[in-house]
Amino acid sequence: LFVLFFVFFLMIRRPPRSTLFPYTTLFRSDISVGEIINKIDNGEEVKLLSYDINNNEVFEDICEQYVDMGENDVYELKFDDGSVLKCALAHKLLCDGGEYHTVKYIVDNDLSIKKIKGFIMKIKSMNKLGRERTYNLSMRSDFHNYLMTNDIVSKNCMAHSISYAMFSAWQLFLKAHYF
């Protein structure tokens, strides 16, 4: 029973691959993924800037956890406004229509990316940098997003939804077999 509980716990803490950042990626809060990881590992609270997409307001949010997603292909995206972002193809960005899509989907469908305050930009070029260790971050607020250095809104995974679903399934299993 303990082993089942431990496996369940690990599954909750391991969100799906959606926002994969290399260790050196910078956020608008002037902190890198590496610094975030070190602070969380040391028990420090990490605040990042997040974006209320309904009211177009920037606010501070808490980064609750990170997950090491292993090595992934990392790309450097250059935008038509001159800004640059390093991320994996599975990384989700806020698009012009108000929906989040992966970088791969954005490139394949030539979508525009929405920055805070409604500014729109396009990916001008994409260069593969190689394989790097990437990380997924989970935020506390209901918006589950954060701002990158170039005011791009990036979405973190749906770890909370998956956690609740997994927890419910676990409760049903326990009720069916032990109560």
Side-chain angles (χ1 to χ4, degrees):
L1 184 62
F2 175 76
V3 172
L4 285 174
F5 180 77
F6 183 72
V7 169
F8 173 72
F9 177 75
L10 288 177
M11 289 169 61
I12 286 177
R13 293 186 47 89
R14 190 151 180 87
R17 295 171 185 258
S18 65
T19 55
L20 307 177
F21 291 110
Y23 198 76
T24 55
T25 299
L26 286 175
F27 292 85
R28 178 138 179 249
S29 305
D30 292 327
I31 187 169
S32 70
V33 173
E35 292 169 310
I36 291 169
I37 289 168
N38 291 334
K39 285 183 178 225
I40 290 174
D41 286 347
N42 291 327
E44 297 176 48
E45 187 175 81
V46 178
K47 293 182 179 181
L48 297 176
L49 293 177
S50 192
Y51 185 63
D52 178 340
I53 58 174
N54 299 324
N55 298 314
N56 294 325
E57 294 178 359
V58 174
F59 65 96
E60 273 192 341
D61 194 7
I62 306 294
C63 181
E64 293 187 321
Q65 67 180 8
Y66 72 90
V67 177
D68 183 340
M69 303 305 287
E71 287 195 5
N72 289 281
D73 290 333
V74 173
Y75 294 81
E76 180 181 74
L77 307 177
K78 292 185 180 176
F79 299 94
D80 57 6
D81 70 347
S83 61
V84 176
L85 176 66
K86 270 176 60 174
C87 63
L89 290 180
H91 187 83
K92 289 186 177 181
L93 303 175
L94 181 62
C95 293
D96 189 18
E99 296 177 347
Y100 293 92
H101 295 289
T102 63
V103 169
K104 181 173 178 10
Y105 186 86
I106 292 167
V107 170
D108 290 348
N109 294 284
D110 195 33
L111 298 179
S112 296
I113 295 167
K114 183 178 180 181
K115 295 170 66 169
I116 63 170
K117 310 282 189 219
F119 297 108
I120 306 298
M121 64 182 182
K122 290 257 192 198
I123 296 174
K124 185 174 154 183
S125 68
M126 181 172 78
N127 298 316
K128 185 175 178 178
L129 298 175
R131 293 186 65 78
E132 291 185 38
R133 184 162 297 286
T134 57
Y135 301 87
N136 193 336
L137 306 176
S138 290
M139 305 301 289
R140 182 176 292 169
S141 78
D142 290 338
F143 293 103
H144 303 291
N145 67 34
Y146 34 82
L147 297 180
M148 307 308 295
T149 54
N150 46 8
D151 288 342
I152 292 175
V153 182
S154 173
K155 183 160 184 74
N156 73 313
C157 71
M158 296 194 189
H160 297 91
S161 307
I162 290 170
S163 300
Y164 297 139
M166 299 274 301
F167 185 70
S168 297
W170 180 251
Q171 283 180 322
L172 289 172
F173 172 80
L174 288 175
K175 285 180 182 178
H177 295 286
Y178 296 103
F179 297 105

